[in-house]
Every structure is written in C-alpha cells, then in structure tokens.
Amino acid sequence: MRAGARRRRFGRVSALRLLVVEGSADDALPIVREVEGTWPELDWRRVETAEELEAAFADGAWDAVVADDSLPGLDTLETLRLVRTYGYDGPFIVVSDTVGEEMIVAAMRAGAHDYVRKDDLRRLVPALEREFEEACLRTRSPADEPGFGASEELYFRLARQLPGVVWATDALLRVTAVSGAAAIVPALAEAAVVGVPVERLAASIGIFDVAEHRRVLAGAHVDYEASWSGREYVVHVKPLLDQGGVADGCIAVALDLTERRTAQRKLRESEARFRALIESSLDVTMLLEEDATVRYASPSVERVLGFRPEELVGRRAFDLVHPEDAPALAEIFRLAGGSPGATRTTTYRALHRDGTWRLTEAVGLNMLADPSVRGMVISTRDITSRHALEERLNQAERLEAIGQLAGGIAHDFNNILLVIRGYSSVLSAELTDPELLADAAEITKATERAANLTQQLLVF
C-alpha cells in the first residue's frame, strides 16, 4: 500500500482520518458535521495551502480527502496532482458550490472520485462509503484487466459517478448493467435490478418506461421526463448497437433535475412577483441601455405619458425630455453612468402623447455592471398635480402674508387719521372765517374717506 492512504475494508466503522482542503473554517465545519455522524471517531484536519497539504501527508496517512475547488493557487487539479505525488490513492471528493461541468470532467480525468455540492452535503457520506467499498473490490475492477486503457478507465469512472443513473438492457429488455445508482437510490443497486425485466421494474420504479424502451428497440432515440420518490428526472434512451450496427438492447441515462427544477420554479415565482410589483406600480419603471435607449418600459407608462410600452422600446429616452431640460438631464445621466451603483434624483418635463408636458421626478440607479441587468434602472413619477398644488399653496401663503402686512399698515394709518380728524374738529370749532371753515370741512371729509379705505384693508 502506498504511504498516502490507509487500506480500509468497507463497513460501518467508527474511525476515519479525513483531510479537508478548504479555505474557510466556517465552510469546513458543515463537512465535518456531516461525516462525524457516520464516523464518530473522526480525526480531521483543514489545510488551505500547498505547504499545509505537504505537512499533513508528512504527519501520516489519510483515509479520505475532501477538497474545495475555489481555493486560489490550490484548485482541484493542483490538489489532485500533489496528493498523487505523496502516494495517496484513496477517495478524493470535490465539494464546491462553483464547480462547472468542464471542471467536473477535468477532475474525473485527473482522478477525482465524485463531487458534492455544498448546499447538498447529504451525498457526501454515501459517496465516501461507495469509494471505500469499491476500493476493496478494485481487484475485480475492469481497470485491472489486461488491455484496459486510460480512456476506458475514464469512462468507467464517469459512468459510476454521474449525478444520475445509467443502465443497459438486452433485446428482451432485461437490465444487463446499472451504474451510478446505488449512491442515489439503494433500490437501484446492481444486485437488485440486473436481470430484471424493465416491465417489472416500471411497476415500482418511476424512471423506467417499458413503452419508451420498446420504441428504442425499433430504432428511435427517446427522451422523456419522469417523477419518482419525490424527485424529477429526464431520461435519455438510445439503441445499444452490436458490432454489425443492429440494436440488440438499450442504453439509458436518467439525470436528476430536482434541484434545477426547484431553482427554476423559484426563479419563475420571483420573476412573477417582481413583474406584478412593477406592473401594478403607479410609477413608471424603465430599463435603459448605456446610450439611453429604452430596453423596457413598464405598463404604467401608458397611464402617465400616454405611450404604450412597445412604442418606447428602441427609442432614446431623451426624445421625451423637454429641450430646456435635456442638457442638464444628459449631464446627470453621464455622471451616473460613470459610477456603478450610483443613484441620482432629478426633476424634468416629459412629453405626453397628447403633446403636453408633464413635470416628473426621476430616480436613476446605475446597474450597468450587474450581469443580470446591464442597464440603468429609472423610476419616474408624475408630479404635475403635486407641483400645481404646491404652487397654489405657495400663492395662498404669499397672499396671507400680504394680508397680514396690509392689516398692520391699516391699523397704524387709522391711528394717524384719528389725530388728523381730532385737530380738524378743533379747527372747525375755533374758526369763524367761512373760507377757512370750508377748508377744515374738506380735511374732515378726506379723513373719513381715508378711514373707509383703511377699514377695507382691515377686512382684506
């Protein structure tokens, strides 16, 4: 046995030495908790650099390696290369939430045994147990047969570790081989289904469809969807050809789409909620390209500006802006475009379909850098009525201020008139010259007219 791994017999044993290649202690703990329920005597270590990896193997052998793909400078392929140089040939499981299909194939080609998503660690323990079992059965593996090449070894491992089920049948539709199934559903273990007719399996296992298999024997390539045991699958079936090109059976693969379908369903529900919010809003929401071309306009634009959304898509948003407001708005748009995530608020006059101008208030958010949006999100509200109301209120306040001022002036002026009237009365009482008496009477009449005017100011 090489120095890097310990020979284990398959079985529910209590001890396990586990090496976790992970850059975050917080991300390593869920892996450890998942494993220690099966192996209570768990001896584990976390490493995140090539130096720590070398030191771990220098300290002794490990039963299993679980590696995260996203470590800078120590990705899956580099980790595989290093552990092989240390003589390790035990289970190597990739645990990641970012790994793609190309990386999966590359990792399998390099020697990884399985991959498990971080958001579904339930598959980790079955994957380890399967690899321990196959390690002790490896002497009977096709890989040990003379002439078994590297390509066949790769395909053999891929078939065993597909995130689904692969099976083959003979011309009588009896299952002749099954792979990749036991880790997903124990009922599909090879010993339980090999030799069993598809028709009998279809009665209890939903991924088997005897009618579709018969179509394949007739030469068709078939895809169908199936639900079984609370999971959703897509099944691809094609003829299994002999050396003469004649179909003498079927080969099929059933891929588990449950998580993908669940994610798609949640995405559709989220989009429906978002659309309902946008379409029922009184405000207008627009999505603009970097050059201010309208990519999307919410239905409320017809209520606010009279245009149907499809009439605006493809037009430049500035076509709807009053010429006097356009330069300032263009400058705001330019500044916002150079600041990812920036928000700008402004008011401008927007063209209504009937040719009138509506005063609007707009809030713009730069989401050009967001790959799911790649645009400027503009929310616009018609404030024409609000502005007119504010103007009337301001006018009323100005009139009230003028009234208060006039009232104060009238009171002061009335006091002066009282003095003039008093002296006019004294003069009238003391004068005997008819002409002077007439002048004093005119003074009295003038003060009375001034008093009437003052009274009108007080009423105002």
Side-chain angles (χ1 to χ4, degrees), residues 261-288:
R261 291 285 172 80
T262 300
Q264 290 173 343
R265 184 166 54 251
K266 289 181 178 178
L267 178 60
R268 287 194 299 269
E269 292 172 353
S270 177
E271 289 177 343
R273 287 193 297 268
F274 173 76
R275 186 170 295 275
L277 288 171
I278 291 296
E279 294 185 353
S280 61
S281 173
L282 297 179
D283 295 344
V284 177
T285 300
M286 288 188 181
L287 183 62
L288 307 185

Side-chain angles (χ1 to χ4, degrees), residues 173 195-205 208 210:
L173 293 183
V196 180
V198 170
E199 186 172 10
R200 188 189 306 170
L201 293 172
S204 57
I205 301 177
F208 292 98
V210 64

Side-chain angles (χ1 to χ4, degrees), residues 223-440:
D223 296 331
Y224 62 90
E225 296 186 0
S227 298
W228 179 52
S229 191
R231 312 289 293 179
E232 298 179 44
Y233 298 86
V234 59
V235 185
H236 308 278
V237 192
K238 62 184 296 184
L240 185 62
L241 306 178
D242 61 15
Q243 293 182 347
V246 178
D248 63 354
C250 301
I251 183 167
V253 56
L255 298 176
D256 189 342
L257 301 181
T258 306
E259 281 75 20
R260 182 186 301 178
R261 291 285 172 80
T262 300
Q264 290 173 343
R265 184 166 54 251
K266 289 181 178 178
L267 178 60
R268 287 194 299 269
E269 292 172 353
S270 177
E271 289 177 343
R273 287 193 297 268
F274 173 76
R275 186 170 295 275
L277 288 171
I278 291 296
E279 294 185 353
S280 61
S281 173
L282 297 179
D283 295 344
V284 177
T285 300
M286 288 188 181
L287 183 62
L288 307 185
E289 304 285 1
E290 193 169 3
D291 63 355
T293 300
V294 179
R295 190 197 310 168
Y296 168 82
S298 64
S300 54
V301 72
E302 187 169 5
R303 181 189 61 79
V304 175
L305 297 178
F307 294 98
R308 295 191 303 275
E310 58 269 21
E311 293 180 289
L312 298 181
V313 173
R315 293 181 60 179
R316 293 193 77 246
F318 289 108
D319 294 345
L320 304 177
V321 178
H322 194 283
E324 295 178 0
D325 298 337
L329 191 62
E331 179 63 13
I332 292 173
F333 190 85
R334 185 188 68 79
L335 293 174
S339 305
T343 300
R344 296 288 189 274
T345 302
T346 187
T347 58
Y348 66 94
R349 286 165 288 181
L351 179 65
H352 193 276
R353 188 185 184 89
D354 62 11
T356 61
W357 296 98
R358 302 297 173 90
L359 187 63
T360 62
E361 182 180 67
V363 178
L365 174 62
N366 181 350
M367 300 189 70
L368 291 167
D370 189 324
S372 62
V373 180
R374 296 193 183 281
M376 299 282 287
V377 180
I378 311 296
S379 180
T380 304
R381 174 174 299 177
D382 184 354
I383 61 170
T384 306
S385 299
R386 188 185 79 187
H387 181 71
L389 182 61
E390 289 174 350
E391 284 295 315
R392 289 196 296 271
L393 180 59
N394 291 336
Q395 179 68 16
E397 289 175 348
R398 287 195 294 270
L399 290 175
E400 183 180 359
I402 292 172
Q404 291 175 351
L405 177 61
I409 293 173
H411 278 293
D412 292 340
F413 190 59
N414 199 43
N415 292 334
I416 295 172
L417 289 176
L418 287 175
V419 174
I420 295 172
R421 182 183 295 175
Y423 278 106
S424 176
S425 298
V426 171
L427 285 173
S428 296
E430 294 182 356
L431 290 174
T432 58
D433 187 327
E435 290 184 3
L436 293 177
L437 284 171
D439 291 339

Side-chain angles (χ1 to χ4, degrees), residues 142-162:
D144 294 330
E145 296 295 327
F148 192 89
S151 177
E152 287 80 359
E153 164 69 8
L154 170 64
Y155 290 131
F156 180 70
R157 282 211 307 269
L158 284 174
R160 285 188 293 112
Q161 297 164 52
L162 271 173

Side-chain angles (χ1 to χ4, degrees), residues 49-104:
T49 65
E51 292 75 16
E52 293 176 351
L53 185 67
E54 182 179 8
F57 277 95
D59 288 345
W62 298 91
D63 295 318
V65 175
V66 174
D68 181 12
D69 177 64
S70 58
L71 276 180
L74 193 61
D75 60 14
T76 298
L77 299 182
E78 177 63 13
T79 304
L80 272 167
R81 186 189 69 78
L82 290 173
V83 299
R84 294 303 183 231
T85 63
Y86 305 144
Y88 178 78
D89 64 354
F92 189 101
I93 310 297
V94 180
V95 177
S96 178
D97 54 6
T98 59
V99 66
E101 293 182 2
E102 293 182 1
M103 178 54 71
I104 294 172

